Amino acid sequence: MSSIFMPTKVLIDDAVIENNQSAWLLGQSALLITGRSSAKLSGAESDVIACLEANHIKYSIFNQIENDPTVETVLAASEYAKTVDADFIIGIGGGSPLDAAKGVAVLAVNEALTLDELFRNQFTKALPIVAIPTTAGTGSEVTPYSVLYRQDIGTKVSFGSPLTFPKIALLDEKYTESLRKDIAIHTAIDAFTHSFEGFLANRASAYSDTLALDALKRFGSVIDQLADLNYSSALRKELLYISMLGGMVISHTGVTVVHAMGYAYTVHYDIPHGQANGFLLGTYLKYLKQINEQKLEFALDTLGMSAEQLVKKIQGLIGSAPAIREEEIAQFTEQTLVQSGSLANTSGVVDEVILKELWKNEWRQSHELV
Ligand code: NAP
Ligand code: FE
């Protein structure tokens, strides 16, 4: 069975916020959910506020969303949403603020929802969400997913239901212009892995493959420009589009073992999400060669490079993974097993034994034993 469901309206435009006000003014009391600086640096926050003020719409701002947001911060933001009587949420930022916005949209209107209920999607309503990405990576503006760090289990977990797709996504490449170079690279690699993993996922369908292959072809054409000092507006536009496609892909396929393992690098070594995924590519490709070589070759042909070239290019952009300690193999294996959905979605069977092998490979690679 495959189903196709993409309920987010996406507007891609220069001056997208100003030019499409009637499309995104979804209520009378907005709560802006942002990180500490990106919404301002990108210029998106002031463009949003100018429109809200011109339309006499009340607004408040919660600007304390950290990278890889915690449940606690999202809970604090949803309490604030209740205090200010928000009737729609505007997420501005990278995946962190956008994912947090989804948590706020749910927690603000589902009284007494427990965390277990939240992560099992046992909620019945959500405030409408406007998503304005300022990174070109997660595609969160078109996915239902919210990835949050749960202190009680020591790792990142996600929720997402048809209710948590943003109602509208506003894409304007100028909001990614202020990105630091390393963040631009990491996030581009995240976008790539969404389409790559999605294409090779068990839940891939003819529909998701069409989107994924388009994204892979586009990524293969721009990968050599990622190291450039300055990105042209055309390149930024293309990266934002690739990111959106990746989001649409994983909305249908989910992610796989790369994302599942990547959370351990982020949680234990503070490695940004996209970079963590990039570090794991070598191990993933080695695994796929044994499990699903035919579809892997198709993906690589579409990218226009061999597995070795891909790993080398990505390594050239992000460097090498940290040298993990031998005892972390077991610890990381155990934590990755929490991501049971993503593991079940990976080609072949990724059980505890295989997972341990994959982490062992990471350990060997990082100690240059392979
Ligand atoms: P991010 O954590 O949102 O942002 C990383 C850094 O970039 C932050 O310091 C941020 O500043 C800064 N930044 C963002 N936009 C900027 C801009 N235009 N100019 C200057 N600085 C800017 O990074 P991300 O990679 O986009 O998101 C990662 C999160 O998304 C992870 O938690 C990951 O698990 C999640 N994710 C979600 C999905 C999904 O489907 N929902 C998919 C993949 C990943 P501020 O701190 O000021 O914001
Ligand atoms: Fe991701």
Side-chain angles (χ1 to χ4, degrees):
M1 203 275 282
S2 65
S3 81
I4 298 172
F5 185 60
M6 199 53 250
T8 304
K9 177 172 189 164
V10 182
L11 296 177
I12 305 171
D13 197 357
D14 299 330
V16 72
I17 290 173
E18 299 90 314
N19 288 349
N20 300 281
Q21 297 181 33
S22 58
W24 65 266
L25 294 170
L26 300 179
Q28 288 308 312
S29 174
L31 176 61
L32 278 60
I33 298 289
T34 75
R36 296 197 177 97
S37 65
S38 55
K40 283 191 177 61
L41 282 175
S42 65
E45 182 179 297
S46 57
D47 289 348
V48 162
I49 289 175
C51 293
L52 291 169
E53 287 180 345
N55 288 277
H56 308 292
I57 291 175
K58 197 180 120 195
Y59 68 90
S60 309
I61 304 177
F62 185 96
N63 62 4
Q64 294 300 309
I65 305 300
E66 65 275 72
N67 295 354
D68 308 293
T70 61
V71 167
E72 286 69 28
T73 304
V74 172
L75 281 168
S78 47
E79 283 310 310
Y80 185 57
K82 289 183 211 168
T83 319
V84 299
D85 239 344
D87 63 4
F88 73 116
I89 305 292
I90 304 176
I92 306 174
S96 297
L98 299 189
D99 285 8
K102 295 171 189 172
V104 176
V106 172
L107 289 163
V109 290
N110 291 270
E111 274 306 325
L113 193 72
T114 66
L115 285 189
D116 285 336
E117 286 165 343
L118 173 68
F119 287 100
R120 277 196 232 111
N121 299 319
Q122 291 169 341
F123 45 83
T124 50
K125 48 196 173 182
L127 292 174
I129 302 162
V130 180
I132 306 173
T134 67
T135 63
T138 69
S140 180
E141 68 276 11
V142 292
T143 78
Y145 310 124
S146 172
V147 189
L148 304 178
Y149 177 70
R150 262 186 90 161
Q151 193 114 39
D152 55 341
I153 48 179
T155 189
K156 292 171 73 172
V157 279
S158 53
F159 69 86
S161 91
L163 293 169
T164 52
F165 275 101
K167 285 271 175 295
I168 183 152
L170 301 172
L171 273 58
D172 187 335
E173 53 75 22
K174 75 168 173 281
Y175 299 134
T176 65
E177 194 173 355
S178 53
L179 271 175
R180 230 172 52 203
K181 190 50 181 301
D182 57 334
I183 300 176
I185 290 174
H186 298 155
T187 47
I189 290 170
D190 187 31
F192 154 67
T193 56
H194 293 159
S195 289
F196 194 65
E197 286 178 70
F199 183 69
L200 288 143
N202 288 335
R203 285 170 52 206
S205 65
Y207 172 73
S208 63
D209 282 359
T210 304
L211 298 176
L213 288 172
D214 185 22
L216 292 178
K217 188 155 188 276
R218 288 168 183 270
F219 185 77
S221 307
V222 298
I223 188 171
D224 290 332
Q225 295 171 53
L226 291 179
D228 290 356
L229 216 49
N230 290 308
Y231 290 4
S232 66
S233 121
L235 176 59
R236 286 196 306 271
K237 204 176 217 167
E238 184 67 356
L239 292 171
L240 202 52
Y241 193 75
I242 292 170
S243 168
M244 177 206 69
L245 286 174
M248 290 176 171
V249 170
I250 59 169
S251 289
H252 291 85
T253 64
V255 288
T256 67
V257 67
V258 174
H259 270 67
M261 292 174 73
Y263 297 147
Y265 275 145
T266 298
V267 169
H268 294 278
Y269 284 87
D270 204 19
I271 288 170
H273 174 69
Q275 187 179 28
N277 291 338
F279 284 159
L280 287 154
L281 257 190
T283 293
Y284 181 52
L285 288 169
K286 198 167 158 185
Y287 168 78
L288 280 176
K289 260 192 180 159
Q290 299 154 16
I291 300 292
N292 197 352
E293 192 172 9
Q294 214 177 354
K295 211 167 175 190
L296 170 62
E297 287 306 324
F298 203 97
L300 290 167
D301 280 353
T302 308
L303 276 167
M305 61 195 93
S306 68
E308 292 68 30
Q309 285 170 326
L310 175 61
V311 171
K312 207 165 159 207
K313 281 182 199 248
I314 299 282
Q315 214 173 50
L317 289 165
I318 63 171
S320 301
I324 62 173
R325 289 177 283 119
E326 200 167 359
E327 57 271 27
E328 285 175 327
I329 294 171
Q331 188 195 357
F332 290 3
T333 299
E334 199 181 313
Q335 279 190 357
T336 310
L337 284 169
V338 173
Q339 314 295 335
S340 52
S342 303
L343 297 179
N345 192 28
T346 307
S347 282
V349 179
V350 184
D351 57 14
E352 188 169 351
V353 175
I354 301 284
L355 203 49
K356 201 170 236 172
E357 272 312 307
L358 299 180
W359 274 118
K360 244 186 219 166
N361 196 63
E362 284 296 297
W363 174 77
R364 275 191 227 108
Q365 265 177 199
S366 66
H367 291 270
E368 293 177 3
L369 301 174
V370 284

